[in-house]
Amino acid sequence: MTTVTGTDSARHDSDELLPPWWRQATVYQIYPRSFADGDGDGIGDIPGALSRVPYLAELGIDAVWLSPFYPSELADGGYDVADYRDVDPRLGTLDDFDALVAALHERGIRVVVDIVPNHTSDQHAWFQEALAAGRGSAARERYIFRDGTGPDGSEPPTDWDSIFGGSAWERVADGQWYLHNFAVEQPDLNWSNPEVRADFVRTLRFWSDRGVDGFRIDVAHMLTKDMTEPLLSKAELEALPKDGNHPMIDRDDVHEVYAEWRQVFDEYDPPRTAVAEAWVDRSRIPLYARAESLGQAFNFDLLQADFDARQFHTIVDDNLALAASSGSSTTWVLSNHDVVRHATRYGLPDAERTETGAPTRKHGNEWLLSGGREPQLDREKGLRRARAAALFLLGLPGSAYLYQGEELGLHEVADIPDAQRQDPTFFRSPGEDVGRDGCRVPLPWTADGASLGFGTGGAHLPQPEWFAASAADVQDDDPDSTLTMYRRALALRHELQTDEQLEWVDTGEADVLRFRRPNGWEVVTNFGTQPHALTPGREVLLASGPVDTDLVPGETTVWLAPA
Ligand code: NOJ
């Protein structure tokens, strides 16, 4: 049994310092309400997650990232936090949390928790106080309240849109308006207020003291805002460059906040880590990933790419260079709780893109809007490509962030009845976005039984019948299952993982990428459909699908043993 203790940088016998654990970790994201339900109320919880620690250990991950488990009215799946230093009673208690951390640590698995600093829930004590205290009060200064426009102030202060649709302002009983960049129930905090800053430092210490190893920082690029009057219009804001001085997004002064957090992280041994969720221009990601700031930042490029050799090649080169420029390691992500699962994306026609290569809309949205009735999803192709992409990703230098259920090869669930949908993006954009519930359906653990082993009761989002065929117990002993492939890949990754270097090997074919790690481990991905011939005699350690000797079939990845 490996125990996570004391010091961050381990030492070889030769006394050579090893890099910190997070640089090339495999981090498994748990969306707690949909992972495992311990008390049968249909909502996943901390005791449920505890019961699955053996599964996580067998999978071979290095860390778990827990999406929010804090008290919440669930207006945004828990990203509306009512109390940052407690556990939602429906999900358990602080003692349950401590037990989960202890059990994971005993298996050598680190724990990362989500911090949501841009906004609280409208049920947070501070917001309730702000409503009660009225205009001009210190309590309102923790949020962003303004008077409205128009003769009687009944028009919002500006024409800004919320990211979830509709106005970014909501009016309260005494006529003032508050800013919410996300759901109405998620008022934005005022990061110019020292009290807000001090409280988050307290929260970071609270969880660090409980043994948490790191933090994932939600919308890390939006905390600080320049709300100097007169406020600009939506069109004026859109016309401004996002160069660090934009009033709303990716401001340079947000790093003052993170510099303070860094001091807190470094008070601990080992230092606590953080990864930024920052949707910013790629050139500005290193600012978040620097050691003086959060230390690591997500790169969401693969998550937005088609299954395409040219796109993957460019993304790898760009992000390794960016990581090198910040001194951090990069992060690879194919799926998370906000996007259509990649097995489904890869089974749909490629995304429509603008000239710059950005997808014109959420990939998979049209298919979702039809409730999955449109025939264009090729499930087998999607899964074949998803497996190939996973082995490509797990061979790369840097951290790999996996989303619960991808190791089961799960597809997105499209046909959730409107009455059962939960995501605010569905309610605030009627007819345009069905939201993110389809990737948050509770996991199938067993092919039979109540809620497919998720819990003894129901499931808070309906599980489709076809989920049973992907259940963990069905895949457990199957040598060809996706679960077995992930387990083998993670075990081999531990053995083979080497310096954060990669060298491309020319394959002579545009559809085939091949790279070599410093110890000779090689990864070959055939993004095309025609078989690709390998140099004879190389030992294949792992493949994402059936392989013929010395041939890599289409839409397949193979790992080659060091020569
Ligand atoms: C990003 C999170 O990943 C998403 O789920 C959430 O809705 C927004 N931030 C707002 O907190």
Side-chain angles (χ1 to χ4, degrees):
M1 193 179 291
T2 332
T3 309
V4 179
T5 47
T7 135
D8 190 28
S9 302
R11 283 175 189 277
H12 284 302
D13 290 346
S14 61
D15 220 26
E16 181 195 342
L17 212 53
L18 286 175
W21 68 269
W22 51 268
R23 291 193 70 94
Q24 302 210 68
T26 308
V27 186
Y28 182 90
Q29 181 189 357
I30 290 184
Y31 187 77
R33 289 176 177 80
S34 301
F35 185 64
D37 176 15
D39 62 5
D41 66 355
I43 301 175
D45 47 35
I46 305 278
L50 178 65
S51 73
R52 297 295 176 185
V53 168
Y55 172 87
L56 297 170
E58 193 178 351
L59 185 56
I61 53 169
D62 301 305
V64 155
W65 149 29
L66 289 167
S67 276
F69 50 82
Y70 315 111
S72 169
E73 285 303 299
L74 300 185
D76 180 20
Y79 283 87
D80 47 319
V81 180
D83 181 349
Y84 291 88
R85 297 186 284 270
D86 205 351
V87 174
D88 189 318
R90 286 164 294 187
L91 270 65
T93 61
L94 280 169
D95 285 345
D96 293 331
F97 179 83
D98 292 342
L100 177 62
V101 172
L104 289 166
H105 280 177
E106 251 177 55
R107 309 287 188 125
I109 300 172
R110 318 267 178 163
V111 182
V112 172
V113 301
D114 225 307
I115 296 290
V116 189
N118 180 66
H119 42 264
T120 69
S121 157
D122 61 354
Q123 301 304 311
H124 191 285
W126 274 1
F127 194 72
Q128 292 299 315
E129 207 187 308
L131 291 183
R135 325 170 147 251
S137 60
R140 286 214 175 167
E141 276 305 303
R142 297 182 186 125
Y143 293 91
I144 302 175
F145 277 87
R146 290 288 181 279
D147 289 328
T149 53
D152 54 358
S154 64
E155 296 295 321
T158 66
D159 62 348
W160 301 347
D161 293 327
S162 130
I163 290 166
F164 286 166
S167 170
W169 296 96
E170 184 72 6
R171 201 170 194 199
V172 301
D174 62 18
Q176 272 208 310
W177 297 75
Y178 68 86
L179 180 71
H180 62 90
N181 268 297
F182 292 88
V184 176
E185 299 87 351
Q186 292 168 299
D188 279 42
L189 282 164
N190 171 14
W191 276 87
S192 308
N193 186 333
E195 206 188 338
V196 169
R197 295 193 181 207
D199 197 67
F200 272 86
V201 164
R202 211 176 135 209
T203 295
L204 296 174
R205 287 215 172 91
F206 178 87
W207 294 109
S208 298
D209 290 344
R210 299 194 98 87
V212 156
D213 302 281
F215 301 94
R216 177 262 188 193
I217 311 302
D218 191 65
V219 285
H221 57 302
M222 288 179 62
L223 275 48
T224 54
K225 292 159 188 121
D226 178 1
M227 297 294 293
T228 315
E229 309 271 350
L231 297 174
L232 300 182
S233 69
K234 175 167 68 174
E236 286 166 332
L237 283 181
E238 274 166 12
L240 289 175
K242 299 203 177 86
D243 59 357
N245 294 309
H246 190 279
M248 300 297 284
I249 286 183
D250 189 23
R251 294 177 54 75
D252 285 339
D253 57 14
V254 78
H255 297 288
E256 292 164 15
V257 174
Y258 300 140
E260 187 184 359
W261 291 13
R262 170 51 53 198
Q263 285 181 6
V264 176
F265 299 150
D266 289 349
E267 283 167 16
Y268 289 86
D269 181 16
R272 297 333 190 209
T273 68
V275 56
E277 187 222 17
W279 290 88
V280 297
D281 188 273
R282 188 188 278 132
S283 64
R284 294 186 52 87
I285 285 186
L287 294 172
Y288 296 82
R290 285 172 306 161
E292 312 86 272
S293 184
L294 291 172
Q296 202 180 39
F298 279 120
N299 113 52
F300 292 122
D301 291 344
L302 283 182
L303 173 148
Q304 299 181 84
D306 300 313
F307 185 76
D308 176 90
R310 196 178 47 81
Q311 290 180 41
F312 271 52
H313 192 301
T314 309
I315 287 170
V316 169
D317 281 348
D318 286 353
N319 285 289
L320 290 181
L322 279 179
S325 76
S326 70
S328 183
S329 62
T330 193
T331 54
W332 306 111
V333 191
L334 292 169
S335 279
N336 64 26
H337 64 298
D338 289 334
V339 295
V340 172
R341 285 186 177 276
H342 62 277
T344 299
R345 296 199 312 267
Y346 292 154
L348 290 168
D350 285 350
E352 281 179 29
R353 292 180 185 276
T354 63
E355 274 172 21
T356 64
T360 51
R361 57 187 307 164
K362 281 192 184 167
H363 194 193
N365 209 34
E366 259 136 26
W367 174 80
L368 278 176
L369 280 168
S370 75
R373 283 182 299 280
E374 289 194 10
Q376 80 266 40
L377 174 65
D378 181 337
R379 285 179 180 267
E380 282 179 21
K381 180 169 84 171
L383 180 55
R384 192 164 58 242
R385 290 172 158 195
R387 291 172 56 126
L391 287 197
F392 179 89
L393 171 145
L394 289 167
L396 290 170
S399 319
Y401 282 79
L402 310 179
Y403 177 53
Q404 66 179 37
E406 73 169 79
E407 78 281 15
L408 303 177
L410 285 188
H411 273 283
E412 185 84 1
V413 181
D415 55 349
I416 298 173
D418 287 358
Q420 285 177 271
R421 289 206 173 269
Q422 300 174 7
D423 188 5
T425 56
F426 168 68
F427 298 106
R428 287 186 66 91
S429 68
E432 280 172 39
D433 192 341
V434 286
R436 303 160 294 181
D437 295 318
C439 64
R440 300 175 178 182
V441 174
L443 291 191
W445 293 95
T446 55
D448 305 301
S451 59
L452 303 176
F454 167 65
T456 52
H460 67 98
L461 283 167
Q463 297 163 305
E465 270 176 32
W466 51 263
F467 251 35
S470 300
D473 73 341
V474 175
Q475 301 197 35
D476 205 20
D477 293 328
D478 175 356
D480 299 324
S481 73
T482 304
L483 179 58
T484 302
M485 183 196 85
Y486 269 81
R487 284 176 177 158
R488 287 206 189 123
L490 296 190
L492 277 171
R493 184 174 151 96
H494 276 135
E495 276 174 37
L496 296 168
Q497 194 59 279
T498 170
D499 291 354
E500 293 169 39
Q501 309 292 326
L502 161 159
E503 183 193 345
W504 293 106
V505 180
D506 186 13
T507 64
E509 290 183 51
D511 275 344
V512 183
L513 296 184
R514 178 171 180 160
F515 60 84
R516 182 185 301 134
R517 302 295 300 276
N519 55 357
W521 168 29
E522 289 189 37
V523 175
V524 186
T525 300
N526 184 350
F527 289 82
T529 49
Q530 298 307 310
H532 169 74
L534 285 174
T535 332
R538 287 297 296 268
E539 183 196 350
V540 173
L541 293 171
L542 185 61
S544 66
V547 284
D548 294 329
T549 319
D550 301 331
L551 279 184
V552 186
E555 299 172 333
T556 301
T557 295
V558 298
W559 284 7
L560 302 177

